[in-house]
Amino acid sequence: MSRAARANYREDVAGRANVEDTPELLAYYDELENLQTGALWTVANKIEPWQPQSSSVPVLWRYQDLRAHVLRSADLVSPEKAGRRVIYLNNPGRKDVAAAVGWLYSGLQTMRPGELASAHAHSASALRFIMEGQGAYTIVDGHKMTLGANDFVLTPNGTWHEHGVSAEGTPCIWQDGLDIPLMNALEANFYVVHPDLQQAVTHPVDDSPAAWGATALHPVGHKWDKGYSPLLKYQWEPTYEALSRYARVTDGSPYDGVIMDYVNPLTGGPVMQTIGASMQMLRPGEHTKAHRHTGSYIYQVAKGRGWSVINGQRFDWRERDIFCVPSWMFHEHANASAGEDACLFCFNDLPVMKALGLYREQALAENGGHQAA
Amino acid sequence: MSRAARANYREDVAGRANVEDTPELLAYYDELENLQTGALWTVANKIEPWQPQSSSVPVLWRYQDLRAHVLRSADLVSPEKAGRRVIYLNNPGRKDVAAAVGWLYSGLQTMRPGELASAHAHSASALRFIMEGQGAYTIVDGHKMTLGANDFVLTPNGTWHEHGVSAEGTPCIWQDGLDIPLMNALEANFYVVHPDLQQAVTHPVDDSPAAWGATALHPVGHKWDKGYSPLLKYQWEPTYEALSRYARVTDGSPYDGVIMDYVNPLTGGPVMQTIGASMQMLRPGEHTKAHRHTGSYIYQVAKGRGWSVINGQRFDWRERDIFCVPSWMFHEHANASAGEDACLFCFNDLPVMKALGLYREQALAENGGHQAA
Amino acid sequence: MSRAARANYREDVAGRANVEDTPELLAYYDELENLQTGALWTVANKIEPWQPQSSSVPVLWRYQDLRAHVLRSADLVSPEKAGRRVIYLNNPGRKDVAAAVGWLYSGLQTMRPGELASAHAHSASALRFIMEGQGAYTIVDGHKMTLGANDFVLTPNGTWHEHGVSAEGTPCIWQDGLDIPLMNALEANFYVVHPDLQQAVTHPVDDSPAAWGATALHPVGHKWDKGYSPLLKYQWEPTYEALSRYARVTDGSPYDGVIMDYVNPLTGGPVMQTIGASMQMLRPGEHTKAHRHTGSYIYQVAKGRGWSVINGQRFDWRERDIFCVPSWMFHEHANASAGEDACLFCFNDLPVMKALGLYREQALAENGGHQAA
Amino acid sequence: MSRAARANYREDVAGRANVEDTPELLAYYDELENLQTGALWTVANKIEPWQPQSSSVPVLWRYQDLRAHVLRSADLVSPEKAGRRVIYLNNPGRKDVAAAVGWLYSGLQTMRPGELASAHAHSASALRFIMEGQGAYTIVDGHKMTLGANDFVLTPNGTWHEHGVSAEGTPCIWQDGLDIPLMNALEANFYVVHPDLQQAVTHPVDDSPAAWGATALHPVGHKWDKGYSPLLKYQWEPTYEALSRYARVTDGSPYDGVIMDYVNPLTGGPVMQTIGASMQMLRPGEHTKAHRHTGSYIYQVAKGRGWSVINGQRFDWRERDIFCVPSWMFHEHANASAGEDACLFCFNDLPVMKALGLYREQALAENGGHQAA
């Protein structure tokens, strides 16, 4: 690096680095560089910001804009050639890692009746949230699950998994969510294609929700030592019913309305070790207060219409739209309907924040808790 | 103690105590006794048996025998005078501690419309299983729960709780299950009467199942640091539905048919720290194999008719009958109907066995796994 | 039971049972008894006391009284015939279960040089605390540990274990502590004699403290899934040194002086699932305040002299004396020396209390926290 | 992006993306890009590699090269101006994030007698490993610890901490280790300067090791709900003694010799939630086999001399040298002395790998387990 270009991040604050460049120091910096070292005080203020500065920006992806392009992908490439025929969401601040926000990847995938993708396994944890169509299914380690709109299915870290649509179905579209970028960043990503390209279904169809989808009842004598939930499919109807029932007895969160986490029934913890998920209901006319927290969030509108204000910017959404909230940006949500509730599905890296002791949260103090947008 | 009466438990087995009494030893034993000591070898074989010898015996309590007596108690004593108007099950081997089996207490309680019992709290963990009638309710720490037949409700260790039947209801009967004898044995039993004799209902009715009774969905931001489940009521309909659904994808347990544990949804563990509970379904014509395990079990027939063989003795049961299985006794169950399933509710001290590292289980090896009865 | 003798525990307190006997009721009670049932209100006040009433009494066993008797046992019986040649401590209130206090057993065992006991395993958890002599050793699942005065060794639930004194040693005496009575009460006690009567030493001598006895350092890649500590021997010298070091930076507990728990280094929890242990130092002249708690405690004086006041009764002790504190009895301790510290070893059933959610503690409020004795 | 430059990562393997560019597809890609989306199949093979490809390279930093530069920093800048006067280790592959390897930062810091740095707190977890000098100390949340060569001290996530050298001491040098880059990557980094620039010492000096540094003994009644160890200082002498003792009873690891993890004594887990540490001893002449695993490692030679082969490259090291092993690179270690042991201190992000379910390990199968170097 030429001396002219050498960076020096100074701040005139007690306790922060504030060393003026001198010819002697610049020469010293050159010597350090030759030893694969550097002077901390030239970069300390850069690498230790006062608070997180996300490199992601808030984005709303409108389904009406994306849907035709997603369907068209089926005309343009085959699942065999594409591996997975997915249009991924590419945050302008995260193009280098193909992330939708933070270290989370997301994409929209379509399949036609009778199509199926090849089976594989990877270190990334993955989920699908069904957007439209009939006959979709997912197979995870021999467990086949049938899927309908707003159903949510896990294909966790290390499992063999594949997706398809039955021949009797209709074209399907779903949202994929994975932490591929995080796995790469952590240099822990492994990928394997199934030796037979497809796996056998070795259990009764939908056995996972039949065994683990009951209210606070567990099969006796089960064996489960995985880091993810044995319940792999979370269906929309009981989820919506649960939110409706809960809404009758709670004031809800000031920031999120009536909100419930999808959990691993064996532990009460998150569904997978690196990705959490929730569904929240904004009651008719509800407009929540703003807060911010560490962690990156991707929302899909499961029901209704409304808007969110993220980092001071308003995003109007309707059913099937997708938007993201980067780490430590204020956000608040509003239901635009006075008569119908609105529901937001969300997945996030909250389990990472919590497992590493990094979760932090702050309410907006000013302006009655609302951002000017 | 006179020398003649001094006990000496000898066994002629290598590694076991086998010391003949001599005048010198007997004199020595007297000296030891004066020092509040004894010679271990005189009692070692008694206090260290080769395997558990339960002091309880298997008992079946027929509801047709008990029902009239239970109802009559309402004519004979008032709830105010009785404290709790309960007919308790008294195992012939455990009369000294008023236990139904092992260290578990159980009784049948009746209440008429408009009656309610006074509120109290105790160290014993408690549950109720509703047998008949309409309008029963339980209040736990301000949470009121309405109850119907085969519903199961917790009144855990340390909570204020009280029971009643609404004025619009009918006479109700339910089974109580507690570990009062264990709390006494462990010298840890505290009892408090509520200062106002009744407690206020401080939450919406049935808020506990509305918040915690959903399938693998938890309220976000809850606070709960108790040793027992935040879900206090487990209803019959979803339980039966869960068993039916699970039955379609499992072979079941060879010893118990299709069996599920009621769990604390926050931990996947037992509903309370000292009492566990399960519901099991015996499919039409199913006859399970025999096994035995540590821990004491009390069953109530929630549905159907059949029989169990316990320690070689056959007990025929029908709906609402109650029976017990003492620790380490072989037991097997049979559904007497070829067309209908049968369901057994069970509560037990399995969480104690597991928390203390004492659970042990053994299948009957002989005779194809069936006892001669 | 004759009607005359039928018990009826009445209390004239709102919320407690207070039903007068009438001829009609007495006849009813007889009918209930025939059905192996009873009326709860006749026994409720008995089985639900306001607070724990221990059946144990405080006892001090003076070593000067016991020592000669213990040594004499070696003249009177052989280890082969006795199984274990132990003089056990027999609380006057617990003679039926051969307990020293509550559900804890304790005894003094002696062995001569060259003697060894046969190997066995049992459900009871056990420990030894060495009182005098040289050359004692214990073998646990093939791990041999050499032992000196005030060393503390575990022989946990389910392990093969045996004790001996090397031929080069001197006569040894130690205290045994076990929860045999609890295992019997819980009907979970199994006993096995080793098929070869002795077990092989399969690891380097004292490998357990070499691997697990370091300060906050663990062997990498260990496998351990037991409920008890992999560290089986806790030596006196580092224990005394740790207390001395800790004493310099702490005010200590108002009730116990400078007190530390022996822990399972893998979990920070108790050394075994059902028995905990601690060592405490009373500084010169220290006299602690009184408190009481659930759980039964057995103390041995490891160093010094002083007294304890237990349930209002004063017990003066000196090195090697043993005393017990029953559940929920107030107790306080005093060091009689103005110049030397005093140390008390203690084992207890605190892990049971805590695992089952039953631990409760109360300071004495009156009289500056001191009992009149 | 121009069409010419558009990347397309193709692989001719079943199950992988292999779509040829066509004018139609390139036009489609442009449309997608305008919607902040992309076609997964153009990048899938890039973002889902078959196995981790670390962007770090193995580096050895020789102390003899660095020492003079580190000492010179004290002539060039004051602690006040520098904030922290540190020469950081800058991996050629990680210059953008100022990391020594992966997401770990490390640097060498010097202080002269009487100097002290300002107190601050940050989300990054930090540690120091003392290299030379007398009189160094660290204060963490009011706990002051005195430090000598090869001592290891924690300044965990969120704690107020500061470093200094007493006026009676000598110039000191130590290694800092932090996960600043990870905290930035996870967008969870907060930084605060202490309002008074210095904090008060509110506990007796070295109270943390006095309370928590004992062998499997814990203060009774402590309160600790942090995610990191209450033991903040790990001293060299007992660590070396522990390794020496353990070496006498173990064969050691084939890959690491006699290796022990520094642990949180309350949990048996890592010292902090995001950084683990270990000390290992290579016995005289020992040459370990190669393995690789996920996670990034930084070593300092605490004692002796030898070499390591990392990813096929040999690095010869002596006392105080520092080297790194990037994720999933094979590595093996050798002690160059036939008479003396060698010891390697290591810190790493293993707790992150394990908390997120990402730890994976593989032995080198070929060539007797040794890399050609």
Side-chain angles (χ1 to χ4, degrees):
Chain A
M1 192 185 290
S2 72
R3 288 185 188 186
R6 191 176 293 284
N8 185 2
Y9 298 83
R10 299 173 61 185
E11 284 183 37
D12 187 10
V13 176
R16 298 286 276 187
N18 189 18
V19 177
E20 196 175 4
D21 282 344
T22 64
E24 187 180 21
L25 279 171
L26 289 170
Y28 178 66
Y29 298 157
D30 286 346
E31 290 171 44
L32 291 180
E33 191 169 353
N34 289 336
L35 295 167
Q36 326 224 78
T37 58
L40 175 60
W41 58 85
T42 61
V43 297
N45 298 337
K46 174 193 172 204
I47 68 176
E48 295 198 311
W50 296 95
Q51 61 183 39
Q53 307 291 348
S54 181
S55 63
S56 300
V57 296
V59 182
L60 172 75
W61 290 272
R62 282 190 189 78
Y63 193 53
Q64 66 182 29
D65 296 341
L66 299 186
R67 188 172 182 275
H69 287 86
V70 170
L71 291 172
R72 192 174 160 219
S73 73
D75 298 324
L76 294 172
V77 295
S78 68
E80 291 72 30
K81 290 222 152 177
R84 281 152 301 167
R85 198 169 48 199
V86 179
I87 304 312
Y88 70 97
L89 309 180
N90 207 359
N91 194 291
R94 302 295 281 166
K95 287 198 168 182
D96 52 337
V97 293
V101 64
W103 299 102
L104 293 173
Y105 162 97
S106 191
L108 300 192
Q109 187 165 175
T110 187
M111 274 199 183
R112 291 170 168 171
E115 283 185 343
L116 75 172
S118 57
H120 58 210
H122 42 58
S123 303
S125 294
L127 60 86
R128 303 168 73 190
F129 188 80
I130 308 302
M131 300 177 78
E132 61 173 88
Q134 284 159 10
Y137 63 87
T138 287
I139 311 174
V140 177
D141 281 346
H143 301 271
K144 180 175 181 175
M145 283 152 293
T146 57
L147 299 163
N150 283 348
D151 284 357
F152 156 51
V153 67
L154 309 180
T155 57
N157 170 1
T159 57
W160 292 117
H161 58 276
E162 63 197 283
H163 308 303
V165 173
S166 73
E168 299 73 30
T170 63
C172 292
I173 300 179
W174 60 82
Q175 182 184 9
D176 289 326
L178 297 96
D179 57 3
I180 293 170
L182 182 64
M183 294 304 103
N184 286 332
L186 296 178
E187 303 183 335
N189 208 4
F190 294 83
Y191 189 94
V192 202
V193 175
H194 194 284
D196 304 327
L197 289 186
Q198 308 299 329
Q199 62 180 315
V201 176
T202 53
H203 297 79
V205 171
D206 283 321
D207 76 313
S208 166
W212 291 102
T215 295
L217 281 165
H218 287 180
V220 171
H222 62 79
K223 305 249 184 283
W224 193 262
D225 61 357
K226 310 292 191 177
Y228 51 84
S229 170
L231 177 61
L232 297 167
K233 178 169 88 163
Y234 297 77
Q235 287 175 270
W236 168 241
E237 288 78 11
T239 299
Y240 183 69
E241 192 189 326
L243 280 171
S244 304
R245 224 166 34 222
Y246 181 41
R248 290 197 288 271
V249 301
T250 186
D251 292 336
S253 152
Y255 313 112
D256 283 307
V258 179
I259 179 166
M260 302 185 93
D261 276 333
Y262 293 97
V263 302
N264 175 341
L266 265 182
T267 64
V271 293
M272 299 185 287
Q273 281 176 282
T274 51
I275 303 185
S278 61
M279 183 70 81
Q280 73 197 81
M281 174 187 282
L282 301 169
R283 288 159 291 197
E286 181 163 17
H287 182 164
T288 69
K289 295 191 173 183
H291 73 155
R292 61 181 176 180
H293 44 64
T294 50
S296 301
Y297 283 63
I298 297 176
Y299 292 87
Q300 181 179 139
V301 184
K303 181 169 182 293
R305 60 195 173 79
W307 73 91
S308 298
V309 185
I310 307 168
N311 207 26
Q313 188 180 356
R314 173 170 167 154
F315 296 88
D316 285 87
W317 41 253
R318 40 187 294 191
E319 208 168 296
R320 298 294 157 235
D321 287 350
I322 295 172
F323 61 94
C324 70
V325 176
S327 182
W328 205 241
M329 289 190 187
F330 281 112
H331 54 284
E332 60 194 277
H333 307 297
N335 180 348
S337 164
E340 296 291 321
D341 54 51
C343 293
L344 300 176
F345 171 76
C346 172
F347 70 94
N348 52 60
D349 61 1
L350 203 57
V352 174
M353 293 297 115
K354 296 203 167 164
L356 304 183
L358 301 176
Y359 185 71
R360 197 183 285 206
E361 191 178 356
Q362 189 184 47
L364 179 63
E366 298 81 22
N367 194 31
H370 291 293
Q371 303 163 84
Chain B
M1 189 186 293
S2 73
R3 289 186 186 183
R6 191 177 294 285
N8 185 359
Y9 297 84
R10 298 173 62 185
E11 284 183 38
D12 189 10
V13 176
R16 297 286 276 186
N18 189 17
V19 178
E20 195 175 2
D21 283 344
T22 65
E24 186 180 22
L25 277 173
L26 289 170
Y28 179 65
Y29 298 158
D30 286 346
E31 291 170 42
L32 291 180
E33 191 169 352
N34 289 335
L35 294 166
Q36 326 223 80
T37 59
L40 175 60
W41 57 86
T42 62
V43 298
N45 297 337
K46 174 193 171 205
I47 67 175
E48 298 199 311
W50 296 95
Q51 61 183 40
Q53 307 290 348
S54 181
S55 63
S56 301
V57 297
V59 182
L60 172 75
W61 291 272
R62 281 188 191 80
Y63 193 52
Q64 66 182 28
D65 296 340
L66 298 186
R67 188 173 181 275
H69 286 85
V70 171
L71 290 173
R72 195 177 157 217
S73 72
D75 298 324
L76 293 171
V77 295
S78 67
E80 290 73 29
K81 290 223 153 179
R84 280 152 300 167
R85 198 169 49 199
V86 179
I87 305 311
Y88 71 96
L89 309 180
N90 207 359
N91 194 292
R94 302 294 282 166
K95 288 198 168 184
D96 51 338
V97 294
V101 64
W103 298 104
L104 292 173
Y105 161 97
S106 192
L108 300 192
Q109 186 165 176
T110 189
M111 274 199 185
R112 290 170 171 171
E115 283 185 344
L116 74 172
S118 56
H120 57 211
H122 43 58
S123 304
S125 295
L127 60 86
R128 305 167 74 190
F129 188 79
I130 309 301
M131 301 175 78
E132 61 173 87
Q134 284 159 8
Y137 64 86
T138 288
I139 311 174
V140 177
D141 282 345
H143 300 270
K144 180 174 180 176
M145 283 153 291
T146 58
L147 300 163
N150 283 348
D151 284 356
F152 157 50
V153 67
L154 310 180
T155 57
N157 171 1
T159 57
W160 293 116
H161 58 277
E162 63 198 284
H163 308 304
V165 172
S166 74
E168 299 73 30
T170 63
C172 291
I173 300 179
W174 61 82
Q175 181 183 9
D176 289 326
L178 297 96
D179 56 3
I180 294 170
L182 182 64
M183 293 304 102
N184 287 331
L186 295 178
E187 302 184 336
N189 208 3
F190 295 84
Y191 188 94
V192 202
V193 175
H194 195 283
D196 305 327
L197 290 185
Q198 308 299 330
Q199 63 180 313
V201 176
T202 53
H203 297 78
V205 171
D206 282 322
D207 75 313
S208 165
W212 291 102
T215 295
L217 280 165
H218 286 183
V220 171
H222 61 80
K223 307 251 182 281
W224 193 261
D225 61 357
K226 311 290 191 179
Y228 51 83
S229 170
L231 177 62
L232 297 167
K233 177 169 89 163
Y234 298 77
Q235 288 176 269
W236 168 240
E237 289 77 10
T239 300
Y240 183 70
E241 192 188 325
L243 281 170
S244 304
R245 224 166 34 220
Y246 181 40
R248 290 196 289 270
V249 301
T250 186
D251 292 335
S253 153
Y255 313 112
D256 283 306
V258 179
I259 179 166
M260 301 185 96
D261 277 332
Y262 293 97
V263 302
N264 175 342
L266 265 183
T267 64
V271 292
M272 298 185 287
Q273 280 178 283
T274 52
I275 303 186
S278 61
M279 183 69 81
Q280 73 196 83
M281 175 187 281
L282 301 169
R283 287 158 291 197
E286 179 162 18
H287 182 164
T288 70
K289 295 192 174 183
H291 73 154
R292 61 181 175 181
H293 44 66
T294 50
S296 300
Y297 283 62
I298 297 177
Y299 292 87
Q300 181 178 140
V301 184
K303 182 169 182 291
R305 60 194 173 78
W307 72 91
S308 298
V309 185
I310 307 168
N311 207 27
Q313 189 180 354
R314 172 169 168 156
F315 295 89
D316 285 86
W317 41 254
R318 42 185 294 189
E319 206 168 299
R320 299 292 158 235
D321 287 351
I322 295 172
F323 61 93
C324 69
V325 175
S327 182
W328 205 241
M329 289 191 186
F330 280 112
H331 55 283
E332 59 194 277
H333 308 295
N335 180 349
S337 164
E340 297 290 322
D341 55 51
C343 293
L344 299 175
F345 171 76
C346 172
F347 70 94
N348 53 60
D349 61 1
L350 202 57
V352 174
M353 294 297 116
K354 295 202 167 163
L356 305 182
L358 302 174
Y359 186 71
R360 197 184 285 206
E361 190 179 357
Q362 188 182 47
L364 180 64
E366 299 82 23
N367 194 32
H370 291 292
Q371 302 162 86
Chain C
M1 191 186 291
S2 73
R3 287 185 188 185
R6 190 177 294 283
N8 184 2
Y9 298 84
R10 297 172 62 184
E11 284 183 38
D12 188 10
V13 176
R16 297 286 276 186
N18 188 18
V19 178
E20 195 176 3
D21 282 345
T22 64
E24 186 180 21
L25 278 172
L26 289 170
Y28 178 66
Y29 298 157
D30 285 348
E31 291 171 43
L32 291 180
E33 191 170 352
N34 289 336
L35 295 167
Q36 325 222 83
T37 59
L40 176 60
W41 57 87
T42 62
V43 298
N45 297 338
K46 175 192 172 206
I47 66 176
E48 296 199 311
W50 296 95
Q51 60 182 40
Q53 307 290 349
S54 180
S55 62
S56 300
V57 297
V59 182
L60 172 75
W61 291 272
R62 283 190 188 77
Y63 193 51
Q64 65 182 27
D65 295 340
L66 299 186
R67 188 172 182 275
H69 286 87
V70 170
L71 290 172
R72 193 173 161 221
S73 72
D75 298 324
L76 293 172
V77 296
S78 67
E80 291 72 30
K81 289 223 154 178
R84 279 152 301 168
R85 198 170 48 198
V86 180
I87 305 310
Y88 70 97
L89 309 180
N90 208 359
N91 193 292
R94 303 293 283 165
K95 288 198 167 182
D96 52 337
V97 294
V101 63
W103 298 102
L104 292 172
Y105 162 97
S106 191
L108 300 192
Q109 188 165 176
T110 188
M111 275 198 182
R112 290 169 169 172
E115 283 185 344
L116 75 171
S118 57
H120 58 209
H122 42 59
S123 304
S125 295
L127 59 87
R128 304 169 73 189
F129 188 79
I130 308 303
M131 300 176 76
E132 61 172 87
Q134 284 159 9
Y137 63 85
T138 287
I139 311 173
V140 177
D141 281 346
H143 301 270
K144 180 175 180 174
M145 282 151 294
T146 58
L147 299 163
N150 284 348
D151 284 355
F152 156 51
V153 68
L154 309 180
T155 56
N157 171 3
T159 57
W160 291 116
H161 59 277
E162 63 198 285
H163 308 304
V165 172
S166 74
E168 299 74 30
T170 64
C172 292
I173 300 180
W174 60 81
Q175 181 184 9
D176 289 325
L178 298 95
D179 57 2
I180 294 171
L182 182 64
M183 294 303 103
N184 287 332
L186 295 179
E187 302 185 334
N189 208 4
F190 294 83
Y191 189 94
V192 202
V193 175
H194 195 284
D196 305 327
L197 288 185
Q198 308 299 331
Q199 63 179 314
V201 175
T202 53
H203 297 78
V205 171
D206 283 321
D207 76 314
S208 165
W212 291 102
T215 293
L217 280 166
H218 286 181
V220 171
H222 61 80
K223 305 249 184 282
W224 193 262
D225 61 357
K226 310 290 190 180
Y228 51 84
S229 170
L231 177 61
L232 297 167
K233 178 170 87 161
Y234 297 77
Q235 286 175 272
W236 169 239
E237 289 78 9
T239 299
Y240 183 69
E241 191 188 327
L243 280 170
S244 304
R245 223 167 33 220
Y246 181 41
R248 291 197 288 272
V249 301
T250 186
D251 293 334
S253 152
Y255 314 112
D256 283 307
V258 179
I259 179 165
M260 301 186 95
D261 277 332
Y262 294 97
V263 302
N264 175 342
L266 265 183
T267 64
V271 293
M272 298 185 287
Q273 280 177 282
T274 52
I275 302 186
S278 60
M279 184 69 82
Q280 72 197 82
M281 173 186 283
L282 301 169
R283 288 158 291 198
E286 180 163 18
H287 182 165
T288 69
K289 296 192 173 183
H291 72 155
R292 62 182 175 179
H293 44 65
T294 49
S296 300
Y297 283 62
I298 298 176
Y299 292 86
Q300 181 178 142
V301 184
K303 180 169 184 294
R305 59 192 173 80
W307 73 91
S308 298
V309 185
I310 307 168
N311 207 27
Q313 189 180 354
R314 173 170 167 153
F315 296 88
D316 285 87
W317 41 254
R318 41 185 295 190
E319 208 168 297
R320 298 293 158 235
D321 287 350
I322 295 171
F323 61 95
C324 70
V325 176
S327 182
W328 205 240
M329 288 190 187
F330 280 112
H331 55 282
E332 60 194 276
H333 307 296
N335 181 349
S337 165
E340 296 291 321
D341 55 52
C343 293
L344 300 175
F345 171 76
C346 172
F347 70 94
N348 54 59
D349 60 1
L350 202 56
V352 174
M353 293 297 116
K354 295 203 166 162
L356 304 183
L358 302 175
Y359 186 70
R360 197 184 286 206
E361 191 178 358
Q362 188 183 48
L364 179 63
E366 298 82 23
N367 195 31
H370 290 294
Q371 302 163 85
Chain D
M1 191 186 292
S2 72
R3 288 185 186 184
R6 191 176 292 286
N8 183 2
Y9 298 84
R10 298 173 62 184
E11 284 183 37
D12 188 11
V13 177
R16 297 286 276 187
N18 189 18
V19 177
E20 195 175 3
D21 283 343
T22 65
E24 186 180 21
L25 278 172
L26 288 171
Y28 179 66
Y29 298 157
D30 285 347
E31 291 170 43
L32 290 181
E33 191 169 352
N34 289 334
L35 296 166
Q36 326 223 79
T37 60
L40 176 60
W41 57 86
T42 61
V43 298
N45 296 337
K46 174 193 172 205
I47 67 176
E48 297 199 311
W50 296 95
Q51 59 183 40
Q53 307 291 348
S54 181
S55 62
S56 301
V57 297
V59 183
L60 172 74
W61 290 272
R62 281 189 189 78
Y63 194 53
Q64 65 182 29
D65 296 339
L66 298 185
R67 188 173 181 275
H69 286 85
V70 170
L71 290 173
R72 195 176 159 218
S73 72
D75 298 324
L76 294 171
V77 295
S78 67
E80 291 72 30
K81 290 224 154 178
R84 280 153 301 168
R85 198 168 49 199
V86 180
I87 305 311
Y88 70 96
L89 309 179
N90 207 359
N91 194 292
R94 303 293 283 165
K95 289 198 167 181
D96 51 337
V97 293
V101 64
W103 298 103
L104 292 173
Y105 161 97
S106 191
L108 300 192
Q109 187 166 176
T110 188
M111 275 199 184
R112 290 170 169 172
E115 283 185 341
L116 76 171
S118 57
H120 57 211
H122 43 58
S123 304
S125 295
L127 60 86
R128 302 168 77 190
F129 188 79
I130 309 301
M131 300 176 78
E132 61 173 86
Q134 283 159 9
Y137 64 86
T138 287
I139 311 174
V140 177
D141 282 346
H143 301 270
K144 179 174 179 176
M145 282 152 293
T146 58
L147 300 163
N150 282 348
D151 284 355
F152 157 49
V153 67
L154 310 180
T155 56
N157 172 1
T159 57
W160 292 117
H161 58 276
E162 63 197 283
H163 307 304
V165 172
S166 74
E168 299 73 31
T170 64
C172 291
I173 300 178
W174 61 81
Q175 181 184 12
D176 290 325
L178 297 96
D179 55 4
I180 294 170
L182 182 63
M183 293 304 103
N184 287 331
L186 295 178
E187 302 185 336
N189 208 3
F190 294 84
Y191 188 92
V192 203
V193 175
H194 194 283
D196 305 327
L197 289 185
Q198 308 298 330
Q199 63 179 314
V201 175
T202 53
H203 297 79
V205 171
D206 282 322
D207 74 314
S208 166
W212 291 102
T215 294
L217 279 166
H218 286 182
V220 170
H222 61 79
K223 305 249 182 285
W224 193 263
D225 61 357
K226 310 291 191 180
Y228 51 84
S229 170
L231 177 62
L232 297 167
K233 178 170 89 164
Y234 297 78
Q235 286 176 270
W236 169 240
E237 289 77 9
T239 300
Y240 183 69
E241 191 188 326
L243 280 171
S244 304
R245 222 166 36 221
Y246 181 41
R248 290 197 289 271
V249 302
T250 186
D251 292 336
S253 152
Y255 313 112
D256 283 306
V258 179
I259 180 166
M260 302 186 94
D261 277 332
Y262 294 96
V263 302
N264 175 341
L266 265 183
T267 64
V271 292
M272 298 185 285
Q273 280 177 282
T274 52
I275 303 186
S278 61
M279 183 70 82
Q280 72 197 81
M281 175 187 281
L282 301 169
R283 288 159 292 200
E286 181 163 17
H287 182 166
T288 69
K289 295 192 174 182
H291 72 154
R292 60 180 175 181
H293 44 66
T294 50
S296 300
Y297 283 61
I298 297 176
Y299 292 86
Q300 181 178 141
V301 184
K303 180 171 184 290
R305 60 193 173 79
W307 73 89
S308 298
V309 185
I310 306 168
N311 207 26
Q313 188 179 355
R314 173 169 167 154
F315 295 88
D316 285 87
W317 40 255
R318 43 185 294 189
E319 208 168 298
R320 300 291 158 236
D321 288 350
I322 295 172
F323 61 94
C324 70
V325 176
S327 182
W328 205 240
M329 288 191 186
F330 280 112
H331 54 283
E332 59 194 278
H333 307 296
N335 180 348
S337 164
E340 297 290 322
D341 54 52
C343 293
L344 300 175
F345 170 76
C346 172
F347 70 94
N348 53 59
D349 61 0
L350 203 56
V352 174
M353 294 297 115
K354 295 202 166 163
L356 305 184
L358 301 176
Y359 186 71
R360 196 184 287 206
E361 190 179 357
Q362 188 183 47
L364 179 63
E366 299 80 24
N367 194 32
H370 290 293
Q371 302 162 85

